[in-house]
């Protein structure tokens, strides 16, 4: 059951990357978002085998690898940056 949930989360991350690429938005924003989640909600000493989601740190590493392979990231649209900054 846990593996199934983790696989779904990995598929959701892949879907998010695809959507961001189609919108021509940088994937780095997703990495920053996950980093904030990790900083705020990370719990030390929690057994990763008991968690339904992949470890946030693992998701960040996977995104960082993707970004490294696809170094050419488009800029975030200025009009949206003004709204969300």
């Amino acid at each position: 059951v846990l593996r199934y949930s983790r696989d779904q989360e990995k598929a959701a991350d892949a879907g998010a990357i695809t959507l961001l690429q189609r919108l021509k938005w940088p994937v780095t924003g997703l990495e920053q978002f996950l980093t904030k989640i990790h900083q705020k909600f990370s719990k030390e000493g929690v057994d990763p085998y008991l968690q339904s989601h992949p470890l946030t740190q693992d998701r960040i590493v996977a995104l960082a690898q993707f970004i490294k392979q696809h170094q050419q990231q488009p800029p975030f649209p200025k009009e949206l940056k003004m709204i969300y900054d």
Side-chain angles (χ1 to χ4, degrees):
V1 171
L2 294 178
R3 186 172 94 48
Y4 178 71
S5 295
R6 290 178 184 163
D7 287 346
Q8 286 181 318
E9 289 297 322
K10 286 179 185 177
D13 287 348
I17 289 170
T18 299
L19 179 62
L20 289 168
Q21 288 181 311
R22 286 184 183 168
L23 290 169
K24 297 185 181 357
W25 290 4
V27 176
T28 52
L30 181 56
E31 181 187 27
Q32 292 166 356
F33 173 72
L34 288 174
T35 298
K36 287 180 182 181
I37 288 175
H38 178 68
Q39 291 169 347
K40 188 165 185 167
F41 299 108
S42 177
K43 296 177 184 173
E44 295 295 322
V46 176
D47 188 346
Y49 293 105
L50 298 178
Q51 295 184 16
S52 62
H53 286 58
L55 296 177
T56 306
Q57 188 61 39
D58 293 345
R59 295 169 75 187
I60 294 167
V61 168
L63 275 169
Q65 289 173 346
F66 176 87
I67 291 166
K68 186 176 180 180
Q69 291 173 353
H70 301 87
Q71 292 180 0
Q72 192 84 12
Q73 292 289 312
F76 194 74
K78 290 179 186 177
E79 59 276 4
L80 292 177
K81 187 167 178 49
M82 290 185 332
I83 293 170
Y84 293 107
D85 266 352

